Structures are given as C-alpha cells and as structure tokens.
Amino acid sequence: MSARSTVGLGLGAIVVLVSVLVALRTHEPPREVVSAVVEEPGIVLGTSTRQIEGIDHIVEHYIAPPGPKTIDEQLGAIQVELHPEDEYTAIPDPSFGIGSKIEIVRATRVTITDAKQPTSYRTWLTSVGALLEAHNVLLDSDDRIDQSPESQLRYDLTITITRIGTKEVAEPEPVAFKQVTQKDTTLEKGTKKSKQVGKNGVRTKTYRITYEDGEQVSKNLIKNEITTDPIEDITLEGTKIITYGSGEATWYAWKPGGAAHNTLPFGTKVLVVAVASGKSTVVTINDRGIQGSAIIDLDKASFAAIAPLGAGRINVRLEKFYP
C-alpha cells in the first residue's frame, strides 16, 4: 500500500496499549460515529477534522483486531478502504499481530466534471488552480469554470468545467432562376423558341455555431451572399404575322363565315382587315372561282362586318388568323 504511514512504539508503550485494547473490548465504551463523513463501515472509535495548511481533513480512528500482521490485512478485517493518497498511523506496529489503533487522515476528495465527464481525485493540494495544473487540465480562453483558480479546495468539492467550442458552417441553398420572354420579329406569331436554358444559382449562408460540452447552444448568421449567379431562362416569342396579300374584297351570297379564294387551301382561316377602317373579320376559305381583280370574295355577313354592303368593293389585307 502506498498510503503514507507512521507506525511503531516502545515496549512499555506497547504493554500499556495492549491493556487499553483489552479494556476497550471488555467494557465496550460508547463510540462516537459521524456517519456523514465515514466512507466505509468498520470498527470506529470516532471521526474528527484536522486543519492542515488551511484545509480541513477528515480524521478517522479505528481499532484493528489481533491476528492480522499488515496494515492491509488489518483494514481488510474491519472493511475500511485506504486510498494511496491518504495518510495513516498504526500503533502498535501491525507486525506484532496484537491489534492496532489506526488513525487515517483522508486526502481531500475533489471531483472535476469536465464536459459532463466526472473524475474524482484525492489530493493534499490546497487550491483549484494547483489541482488543475497537477492533473494537466487545461482551459481554453472560451471555456468556463465555476471556481476561480485561487479557490480553496474542500472535501467533496465539485469543480465544473464547461467546454465552449465554435465553428463556422457554410450552408448552400438554391436561388431560383428567372423566366424571361423576349419578342422576336423573325419568328411567326404564336411560335416559341428557347434561347437560353435557365439554371439555379447558389446562395451560401455562413453560420457561427457555438457548442457547450459538445451540444449546440446557438447558431448565428454571419454571412449571406450569392456565390453562384442564377442563369435566366429565356424564351423567344414570335411576333411575325404571315400575310396572304392585299387587294380588293367583294361580297356575294354564300355560307355565313365563308369566303372564296383562288389559291389558299380550303379550311384556311383568314383575318380580313379593312385598310381604311381597321375593322376585321375572320372567314374560312371554302370556295373558288373568283372572276376579275378581287383577291377575296366574302359572304354577305362577313363583308357587312367591316364595311357597308353598298360599298361593293373595299381594300383589304389578308392575314393568317392566330386564335
């Protein structure tokens, strides 16, 4: 056992002590026991405190029975644990085998809870700072400790260290591209064509995250920037109107909404625009046989929609109809 010890007595003192031990066992005087400070059960004479270098240390007094001849055997017999850091005296020396009066001065028991991990120490040091240094417990500038380095140690003191950590984390998120439509006079009206395919950009948000004992306690945005610009999606939309020519329009009694044209395919829908008034009507080509200089021969109702029937002939522009 590596606990510090003081043992030994002269022969006369041994005889006296043996008499005392026998008397103690015979008369069994009352024992003063302070259970709050006794760590393990044993044959206890009593406990007290002793101030050493300003620190109160627990002092325990035991009677070891005859027979065992080492301190380990004696303490084992009375079920008392001796820690390597504790100091003790045994009188008379256990090697006589006649029993001993044992005094144990307990080293200060201190717990350091570092990042929620408790570690117990027994020490004769006197201050928090000295204990941390002795056990190489280092603190970063951001870490917190609930005791100052100058604080005096005391029995069963718990020193709590909260480890503070920070890191920066970049989190990307998409930036939606814009959809843009551009007019194009080279494309026929109603026609669309892709000029450029859109692509999302990237916005990067940087956060400073703070941890206490490995658990996140805060998340603060410190930077917000577009790191990749989005690319617009561009669609061309035609505005070019297909025309079938200009000329005179006449009318005749024919199917409502119908018209005659000598070359346009049957079923072609034509927007007929009166040049003078700008009025228009839509007809479907379903007849042929125009005689003379007219470009189109409208049914009566269609002609009346853009000019008086009495006009007989009007100048028109024929365009492709776009619904």
Side-chain angles (χ1 to χ4, degrees):
M1 180 170 296
S2 59
R4 291 180 286 183
S5 65
T6 302
V7 297
L9 275 180
L11 181 58
I14 292 174
V15 173
V16 173
L17 181 58
V18 169
S19 300
V20 171
L21 294 175
V22 172
L24 286 171
R25 284 195 290 271
T26 302
H27 297 91
E28 296 183 353
R31 300 167 181 172
E32 180 182 355
V33 179
V34 183
S35 59
V37 295
V38 174
E39 296 178 328
E40 295 87 11
I43 302 175
V44 183
L45 292 179
T47 61
S48 59
T49 60
R50 181 179 301 161
Q51 193 171 85
I52 303 173
E53 296 185 14
I55 305 296
D56 287 336
H57 290 268
I58 295 173
V59 182
E60 301 169 6
H61 305 273
Y62 300 96
I63 295 295
K69 292 186 177 182
T70 68
I71 188 66
D72 288 340
E73 291 174 353
Q74 286 185 334
L75 293 177
I78 60 176
Q79 298 181 5
V80 174
E81 182 179 5
L82 184 67
H83 302 283
E85 299 84 1
D86 297 334
E87 293 183 350
Y88 71 93
T89 59
I91 303 174
D93 191 296
S95 61
F96 289 109
I98 61 174
S100 301
K101 180 178 180 181
I102 302 172
E103 178 185 273
I104 298 176
V105 183
R106 297 292 186 183
T108 306
R109 184 173 65 191
V110 180
T111 299
I112 298 178
T113 300
D114 190 347
K116 297 184 178 180
Q117 299 298 317
T119 304
S120 292
Y121 300 94
R122 295 175 184 269
T123 183
W124 290 89
L125 297 172
T126 60
S127 70
V128 171
L131 181 66
L132 296 179
E133 183 178 357
H135 294 283
N136 199 31
V137 179
L138 304 178
L139 299 177
D140 290 334
S141 58
D142 293 334
D143 295 335
R144 293 199 308 267
I145 184 170
D146 66 347
Q147 304 287 334
S148 69
E150 297 78 17
S151 295
Q152 194 175 59
L153 296 179
R154 62 181 183 274
Y155 202 79
D156 275 345
L157 173 67
T158 296
I159 302 167
T160 302
I161 297 173
T162 303
R163 297 293 182 177
I164 309 298
T166 61
K167 69 177 181 180
E168 293 185 3
V169 176
E171 297 183 359
E173 61 182 37
V175 178
F177 61 82
K178 294 181 179 180
Q179 292 184 324
V180 178
T181 300
Q182 294 179 349
K183 303 297 184 181
D184 190 325
T185 59
T186 65
L187 291 177
E188 182 181 353
K189 183 177 180 179
T191 301
K192 293 183 178 181
K193 180 180 179 181
S194 176
K195 179 181 180 181
Q196 178 173 279
V197 177
K199 185 177 181 180
N200 286 339
V202 177
R203 177 183 297 278
T204 301
K205 293 182 176 180
T206 304
Y207 296 89
R208 178 175 288 112
I209 301 178
T210 301
Y211 299 87
E212 291 187 2
D213 296 336
E215 296 181 1
Q216 181 178 317
V217 295
S218 67
K219 181 179 182 181
N220 298 312
L221 181 66
I222 59 175
K223 189 185 295 183
N224 185 356
E225 59 184 351
I226 294 179
T227 49
T228 302
D229 291 326
I231 298 174
E232 292 181 337
D233 186 90
I234 302 176
T235 300
L236 299 178
E237 186 176 84
T239 60
K240 180 181 179 180
I241 296 176
I242 301 299
T243 60
Y244 299 133
S246 299
E248 290 184 333
T250 55
W251 65 272
Y252 71 123
W254 185 234
K255 298 176 183 179
H261 193 283
N262 286 343
T263 58
L264 288 176
F266 281 4
T268 301
K269 288 187 176 297
V270 178
L271 179 69
V272 182
V273 182
V275 175
S277 65
K279 292 181 179 181
S280 62
T281 187
V282 178
V283 297
T284 301
I285 303 302
N286 56 7
D287 197 11
R288 305 282 190 214
I290 297 176
Q291 303 296 322
S293 60
I295 191 174
I296 193 168
D297 203 3
L298 304 175
D299 75 282
K300 181 178 180 181
S302 297
F303 190 96
I306 58 175
L309 293 177
R313 290 173 175 265
I314 59 171
N315 290 323
V316 296
R317 181 176 67 254
L318 305 184
E319 298 178 356
K320 181 179 179 179
F321 174 67
Y322 297 96

